[in-house]
Every structure is written in structure tokens, then in C-alpha cells.
mmCIF file of all heavy atoms in Angstrom:
data_model
loop_
_atom_site.group_PDB
_atom_site.id
_atom_site.type_symbol
_atom_site.label_atom_id
_atom_site.label_comp_id
_atom_site.label_asym_id
_atom_site.label_seq_id
_atom_site.Cartn_x
_atom_site.Cartn_y
_atom_site.Cartn_z
ATOM 1 N N MET A 1 123.941 107.384 107.526
ATOM 2 C CA MET A 1 125.103 107.328 108.393
ATOM 3 C C MET A 1 124.755 106.735 109.797
ATOM 4 O O MET A 1 125.511 106.084 110.515
ATOM 5 C CB MET A 1 125.589 108.814 108.562
ATOM 6 C CG MET A 1 126.377 109.222 107.322
ATOM 7 S SD MET A 1 126.972 110.936 107.555
ATOM 8 C CE MET A 1 128.113 110.790 108.933
ATOM 9 N N MET A 2 123.459 107.105 110.266
ATOM 10 C CA MET A 2 123.045 106.712 111.629
ATOM 11 C C MET A 2 122.419 105.291 111.554
ATOM 12 O O MET A 2 121.796 104.844 112.574
ATOM 13 C CB MET A 2 122.045 107.683 112.163
ATOM 14 C CG MET A 2 122.597 109.091 112.297
ATOM 15 S SD MET A 2 124.212 109.160 113.259
ATOM 16 C CE MET A 2 123.594 108.540 114.870
ATOM 17 N N GLY A 3 122.477 104.603 110.410
ATOM 18 C CA GLY A 3 122.068 103.213 110.371
ATOM 19 C C GLY A 3 120.562 103.029 110.085
ATOM 20 O O GLY A 3 120.025 101.961 110.305
ATOM 21 N N ALA A 4 119.914 104.180 109.714
ATOM 22 C CA ALA A 4 118.428 104.073 109.515
ATOM 23 C C ALA A 4 118.123 104.667 108.046
ATOM 24 O O ALA A 4 117.792 105.881 108.059
ATOM 25 C CB ALA A 4 117.747 104.837 110.610
ATOM 26 N N GLU A 5 118.292 103.942 107.088
ATOM 27 C CA GLU A 5 117.977 104.374 105.739
ATOM 28 C C GLU A 5 116.495 104.637 105.652
ATOM 29 O O GLU A 5 115.628 104.123 106.289
ATOM 30 C CB GLU A 5 118.400 103.355 104.611
ATOM 31 C CG GLU A 5 119.886 103.105 104.663
ATOM 32 C CD GLU A 5 120.348 102.139 103.594
ATOM 33 O OE1 GLU A 5 120.065 100.977 103.855
ATOM 34 O OE2 GLU A 5 120.844 102.604 102.548
ATOM 35 N N VAL A 6 116.177 105.636 104.726
ATOM 36 C CA VAL A 6 114.798 106.012 104.471
ATOM 37 C C VAL A 6 113.937 104.804 104.085
ATOM 38 O O VAL A 6 112.785 104.607 104.572
ATOM 39 C CB VAL A 6 114.666 107.168 103.470
ATOM 40 C CG1 VAL A 6 113.252 107.507 103.095
ATOM 41 C CG2 VAL A 6 115.451 108.339 103.836
ATOM 42 N N ALA A 7 114.425 103.989 103.168
ATOM 43 C CA ALA A 7 113.675 102.823 102.689
ATOM 44 C C ALA A 7 113.313 101.892 103.785
ATOM 45 O O ALA A 7 112.275 101.329 103.926
ATOM 46 C CB ALA A 7 114.465 102.132 101.550
ATOM 47 N N THR A 8 114.396 101.704 104.705
ATOM 48 C CA THR A 8 114.193 100.775 105.844
ATOM 49 C C THR A 8 113.075 101.341 106.750
ATOM 50 O O THR A 8 112.233 100.575 107.339
ATOM 51 C CB THR A 8 115.528 100.612 106.609
ATOM 52 O OG1 THR A 8 116.401 100.016 105.701
ATOM 53 C CG2 THR A 8 115.290 99.579 107.776
ATOM 54 N N LEU A 9 113.189 102.676 107.125
ATOM 55 C CA LEU A 9 112.194 103.210 107.977
ATOM 56 C C LEU A 9 110.823 103.139 107.413
ATOM 57 O O LEU A 9 109.775 102.875 108.168
ATOM 58 C CB LEU A 9 112.593 104.619 108.202
ATOM 59 C CG LEU A 9 113.893 104.966 109.033
ATOM 60 C CD1 LEU A 9 114.178 106.367 109.087
ATOM 61 C CD2 LEU A 9 113.761 104.355 110.478
ATOM 62 N N LEU A 10 110.691 103.497 106.154
ATOM 63 C CA LEU A 10 109.364 103.415 105.504
ATOM 64 C C LEU A 10 108.821 101.953 105.471
ATOM 65 O O LEU A 10 107.612 101.777 105.643
ATOM 66 C CB LEU A 10 109.424 103.879 104.009
ATOM 67 C CG LEU A 10 109.670 105.355 103.853
ATOM 68 C CD1 LEU A 10 109.850 105.745 102.417
ATOM 69 C CD2 LEU A 10 108.485 106.179 104.384
ATOM 70 N N ALA A 11 109.696 100.966 105.333
ATOM 71 C CA ALA A 11 109.284 99.560 105.391
ATOM 72 C C ALA A 11 108.783 99.203 106.783
ATOM 73 O O ALA A 11 107.752 98.529 106.960
ATOM 74 C CB ALA A 11 110.508 98.622 104.996
ATOM 75 N N HIS A 12 109.425 99.721 107.850
ATOM 76 C CA HIS A 12 109.025 99.407 109.221
ATOM 77 C C HIS A 12 107.708 100.137 109.471
ATOM 78 O O HIS A 12 106.787 99.633 110.139
ATOM 79 C CB HIS A 12 110.042 99.876 110.176
ATOM 80 C CG HIS A 12 111.116 98.881 110.413
ATOM 81 N ND1 HIS A 12 111.071 97.970 111.497
ATOM 82 C CD2 HIS A 12 112.226 98.606 109.775
ATOM 83 C CE1 HIS A 12 112.166 97.206 111.399
ATOM 84 N NE2 HIS A 12 112.881 97.627 110.431
ATOM 85 N N LEU A 13 107.520 101.358 108.857
ATOM 86 C CA LEU A 13 106.282 102.087 109.099
ATOM 87 C C LEU A 13 105.164 101.391 108.505
ATOM 88 O O LEU A 13 104.088 101.251 108.948
ATOM 89 C CB LEU A 13 106.436 103.461 108.506
ATOM 90 C CG LEU A 13 105.217 104.376 108.633
ATOM 91 C CD1 LEU A 13 104.822 104.640 110.023
ATOM 92 C CD2 LEU A 13 105.462 105.718 107.914
ATOM 93 N N ARG A 14 105.395 100.829 107.278
ATOM 94 C CA ARG A 14 104.364 100.080 106.530
ATOM 95 C C ARG A 14 103.998 98.848 107.232
ATOM 96 O O ARG A 14 102.845 98.411 107.391
ATOM 97 C CB ARG A 14 104.753 99.808 105.188
ATOM 98 C CG ARG A 14 103.762 99.031 104.250
ATOM 99 C CD ARG A 14 104.193 98.889 102.878
ATOM 100 N NE ARG A 14 105.399 98.153 102.770
ATOM 101 C CZ ARG A 14 106.628 98.657 102.446
ATOM 102 N NH1 ARG A 14 106.707 99.978 102.232
ATOM 103 N NH2 ARG A 14 107.709 97.916 102.365
ATOM 104 N N ASP A 15 105.006 98.067 107.784
ATOM 105 C CA ASP A 15 104.762 96.747 108.389
ATOM 106 C C ASP A 15 104.068 96.941 109.751
ATOM 107 O O ASP A 15 103.297 96.066 110.162
ATOM 108 C CB ASP A 15 106.086 96.067 108.642
ATOM 109 C CG ASP A 15 106.739 95.674 107.341
ATOM 110 O OD1 ASP A 15 106.030 95.609 106.361
ATOM 111 O OD2 ASP A 15 107.972 95.337 107.340
ATOM 112 N N ASP A 16 104.283 98.112 110.417
ATOM 113 C CA ASP A 16 103.679 98.339 111.767
ATOM 114 C C ASP A 16 102.331 98.911 111.613
ATOM 115 O O ASP A 16 101.662 99.097 112.672
ATOM 116 C CB ASP A 16 104.563 99.217 112.534
ATOM 117 C CG ASP A 16 105.897 98.586 112.872
ATOM 118 O OD1 ASP A 16 106.003 97.342 112.794
ATOM 119 O OD2 ASP A 16 106.889 99.325 113.266
ATOM 120 N N THR A 17 101.869 99.271 110.443
ATOM 121 C CA THR A 17 100.565 99.933 110.249
ATOM 122 C C THR A 17 99.490 98.780 110.143
ATOM 123 O O THR A 17 99.582 97.905 109.297
ATOM 124 C CB THR A 17 100.502 100.754 109.038
ATOM 125 O OG1 THR A 17 101.529 101.821 109.133
ATOM 126 C CG2 THR A 17 99.148 101.399 108.841
ATOM 127 N N PRO A 18 98.512 98.755 111.080
ATOM 128 C CA PRO A 18 97.463 97.764 110.980
ATOM 129 C C PRO A 18 96.684 97.854 109.759
ATOM 130 O O PRO A 18 96.258 99.012 109.276
ATOM 131 C CB PRO A 18 96.612 97.976 112.236
ATOM 132 C CG PRO A 18 96.864 99.476 112.586
ATOM 133 C CD PRO A 18 98.369 99.636 112.205
ATOM 134 N N ASP A 19 96.415 96.712 109.041
ATOM 135 C CA ASP A 19 95.625 96.773 107.803
ATOM 136 C C ASP A 19 94.285 96.211 108.080
ATOM 137 O O ASP A 19 94.076 95.039 108.388
ATOM 138 C CB ASP A 19 96.344 95.882 106.771
ATOM 139 C CG ASP A 19 95.692 96.012 105.415
ATOM 140 O OD1 ASP A 19 94.667 96.746 105.349
ATOM 141 O OD2 ASP A 19 96.145 95.307 104.513
ATOM 142 N N ASP A 20 93.305 97.032 108.079
ATOM 143 C CA ASP A 20 91.933 96.558 108.418
ATOM 144 C C ASP A 20 91.389 95.540 107.390
ATOM 145 O O ASP A 20 90.521 94.722 107.718
ATOM 146 C CB ASP A 20 91.001 97.776 108.566
ATOM 147 C CG ASP A 20 91.311 98.699 109.721
ATOM 148 O OD1 ASP A 20 91.944 98.166 110.693
ATOM 149 O OD2 ASP A 20 90.986 99.908 109.637
ATOM 150 N N THR A 21 91.922 95.695 106.184
ATOM 151 C CA THR A 21 91.463 94.637 105.238
ATOM 152 C C THR A 21 91.849 93.308 105.396
ATOM 153 O O THR A 21 91.261 92.353 104.844
ATOM 154 C CB THR A 21 91.954 95.164 103.816
ATOM 155 O OG1 THR A 21 93.373 95.131 103.761
ATOM 156 C CG2 THR A 21 91.456 96.544 103.467
ATOM 157 N N THR A 22 92.929 93.048 106.281
ATOM 158 C CA THR A 22 93.369 91.654 106.512
ATOM 159 C C THR A 22 92.647 91.063 107.654
ATOM 160 O O THR A 22 92.889 89.910 108.016
ATOM 161 C CB THR A 22 94.864 91.706 106.694
ATOM 162 O OG1 THR A 22 95.222 92.501 107.873
ATOM 163 C CG2 THR A 22 95.543 92.209 105.555
ATOM 164 N N ARG A 23 91.895 91.863 108.369
ATOM 165 C CA ARG A 23 91.274 91.289 109.624
ATOM 166 C C ARG A 23 89.988 90.472 109.238
ATOM 167 O O ARG A 23 89.236 90.976 108.383
ATOM 168 C CB ARG A 23 90.907 92.416 110.545
ATOM 169 C CG ARG A 23 92.077 93.168 111.176
ATOM 170 C CD ARG A 23 91.549 94.268 112.076
ATOM 171 N NE ARG A 23 92.683 95.008 112.638
ATOM 172 C CZ ARG A 23 92.562 96.023 113.488
ATOM 173 N NH1 ARG A 23 91.287 96.490 113.830
ATOM 174 N NH2 ARG A 23 93.580 96.704 113.910
ATOM 175 N N PRO A 24 89.822 89.319 109.779
ATOM 176 C CA PRO A 24 88.575 88.572 109.470
ATOM 177 C C PRO A 24 87.369 89.287 109.997
ATOM 178 O O PRO A 24 87.351 89.823 111.090
ATOM 179 C CB PRO A 24 88.773 87.170 110.197
ATOM 180 C CG PRO A 24 89.769 87.536 111.334
ATOM 181 C CD PRO A 24 90.655 88.617 110.748
ATOM 182 N N THR A 25 86.376 89.330 109.157
ATOM 183 C CA THR A 25 85.081 90.045 109.568
ATOM 184 C C THR A 25 83.962 88.970 109.671
ATOM 185 O O THR A 25 83.842 88.097 108.905
ATOM 186 C CB THR A 25 84.830 91.070 108.652
ATOM 187 O OG1 THR A 25 84.608 90.467 107.305
ATOM 188 C CG2 THR A 25 85.779 92.290 108.576
ATOM 189 N N ARG A 26 83.164 89.132 110.676
ATOM 190 C CA ARG A 26 81.996 88.134 110.858
ATOM 191 C C ARG A 26 80.807 88.771 110.175
ATOM 192 O O ARG A 26 80.412 89.869 110.370
ATOM 193 C CB ARG A 26 81.751 88.048 112.378
ATOM 194 C CG ARG A 26 80.590 87.035 112.674
ATOM 195 C CD ARG A 26 80.421 86.948 114.159
ATOM 196 N NE ARG A 26 81.615 86.324 114.764
ATOM 197 C CZ ARG A 26 81.703 86.106 116.099
ATOM 198 N NH1 ARG A 26 80.715 86.520 116.896
ATOM 199 N NH2 ARG A 26 82.800 85.561 116.598
#
């Protein structure tokens, strides 16, 4: 009702979480 579905919020949470595995390592 407030325009923030659970699935949408979880998707934003996942997208905003930094993934250390994607960072290039030297």
C-alpha cells in the first residue's frame, strides 16, 4: 500500500550490499 513491496525492498538491499568477490584483487 505504501509503494514498497517486500520483493522490491529486498532487491534494493541486495543491490546496495557490496560484494567483496567482485572487487579486483592484486
